[in-house]
Amino acid sequence: ALSRELTKNLYISLACAFLVAISPWHIKFSRSTFEAITALFLSMVGLFLFIKSVNQKLKNFWIPSVFFALSLYAYHAQRIFTPLLVLGLFYIYRKVISQHKRPLLTFLLTGALIILPLLIVFLNPKASIRAQSTFITRDFDINRFLHKTGEDLSITTRIFDSNFLITANFWTKRYLDYFDPNYLFVEGMDFTKANAPDIGLLYLIELPFFLFGLYFVLFSNFIKDAKARNVI
């Protein structure tokens, strides 16, 4: 439905549905009912309804807010991902949204009401235990490289090999690793709980579709048409 709304092409949307259905990571985690899949579903429904509402001049604009807000309850990562996604959507579709103040207010109020119980929970000190245990400086691998408190460091080390630079380099590399073709198409599943060697998150045969998708977004008339319709 999301690809159909974006492309207005039935065949592309059917191809997208088929590729998701046979995707290794989706088969594994959706069949095991991981909360991350539930969160992804809620976010994607919110994204679909958001774009559909924008195309209809913000009709029923409060509905996607419901799904975005519910995704925050489903999985920890969504509490960072979903707000960034919504901010990105607001920026992309700012021309349409800026012309309809009332639907925007309804969107924000609906989301705030649904999120309110979650915010109350966050005020409890125990709610921060998860965040503390998964903070970027608590990672097991990086702790082997960080300088310990009280360690005698030279001026050069303090400047060029500080804990800040070590942490920044470590996480930048780890983030970029997720875009490594070898990880995506060859051995990505080996790093998951499924522990399936020689299988990527996507099949190698999907690489041409992946490249075509990048081309479609960057070089086709998709963006030009949206601008012509004064959507973005």
Side-chain angles (χ1 to χ4, degrees):
L2 176 59
S3 57
R4 179 70 182 275
E5 187 66 29
L6 287 171
T7 65
K8 307 300 182 183
N9 188 303
L10 175 62
Y11 298 106
I12 292 178
S13 61
L14 290 176
C16 290
F18 173 73
L19 291 174
V20 170
I22 65 172
S23 174
W25 71 266
H26 191 269
I27 292 174
K28 166 61 183 177
F29 293 105
S30 64
R31 272 53 171 187
S32 303
T33 62
F34 279 81
E35 60 269 35
I37 292 293
T38 302
L40 177 63
F41 168 76
L42 292 171
S43 296
M44 291 300 98
V45 172
L47 177 59
F48 163 70
L49 294 174
F50 186 100
I51 296 174
K52 188 175 183 66
S53 179
V54 167
N55 291 335
Q56 297 177 347
K57 306 303 180 183
L58 302 196
K59 181 181 179 181
N60 297 321
F61 196 48
W62 62 273
I63 299 180
S65 180
V66 173
F67 288 91
F68 283 139
L70 290 177
S71 72
L72 303 182
Y73 288 87
Y75 193 56
H76 300 285
Q78 299 305 116
R79 294 161 194 170
I80 297 177
F81 172 77
T82 298
L84 292 176
L85 174 62
V86 173
L87 287 175
L89 290 171
F90 278 1
Y91 177 76
I92 293 172
Y93 296 103
R94 60 190 180 280
K95 289 185 179 180
V96 173
I97 294 175
S98 63
Q99 298 171 4
H100 302 82
K101 304 295 185 181
R102 187 170 181 178
L104 173 60
L105 181 61
T106 305
F107 179 98
L108 296 175
L109 288 176
T110 301
L113 287 174
I114 297 175
I115 296 172
L116 183 60
L118 189 63
L119 295 177
I120 295 175
V121 171
F122 283 163
L123 296 177
N124 189 322
K126 294 182 180 179
S128 63
I129 294 176
R130 169 71 177 182
Q132 293 174 6
S133 64
T134 58
F135 194 65
I136 58 175
T137 58
R138 297 292 184 91
D139 185 87
F140 175 78
D141 291 329
I142 196 177
N143 270 293
R144 295 182 297 169
F145 305 102
L146 293 175
H147 301 297
K148 304 300 184 289
T149 303
E151 187 176 344
D152 186 18
L153 304 175
S154 65
I155 296 178
T156 304
T157 300
R158 292 177 185 275
I159 296 175
F160 298 104
D161 194 32
S162 65
N163 282 349
F164 174 79
L165 291 177
I166 292 174
T167 303
N169 290 334
F170 178 87
W171 284 105
T172 298
K173 180 182 181 302
R174 178 167 284 190
Y175 178 77
L176 293 177
D177 282 344
Y178 285 101
F179 300 92
D180 184 350
N182 187 57
Y183 171 79
L184 291 173
F185 298 99
V186 180
E187 59 179 12
M189 289 297 288
D190 193 26
F191 298 98
T192 67
K193 289 185 178 180
N195 193 27
D198 302 322
I199 299 178
L201 302 181
L202 304 169
Y203 296 111
L204 190 58
I205 196 175
E206 293 181 81
L207 180 57
F209 296 97
F210 180 80
L211 297 175
F212 172 76
L214 289 179
Y215 172 83
F216 178 82
V217 171
L218 297 176
F219 301 107
S220 72
N221 293 325
F222 172 71
I223 296 178
K224 293 181 181 179
D225 292 342
K227 288 182 177 180
R229 291 184 285 111
N230 201 34
V231 175
I232 62 176

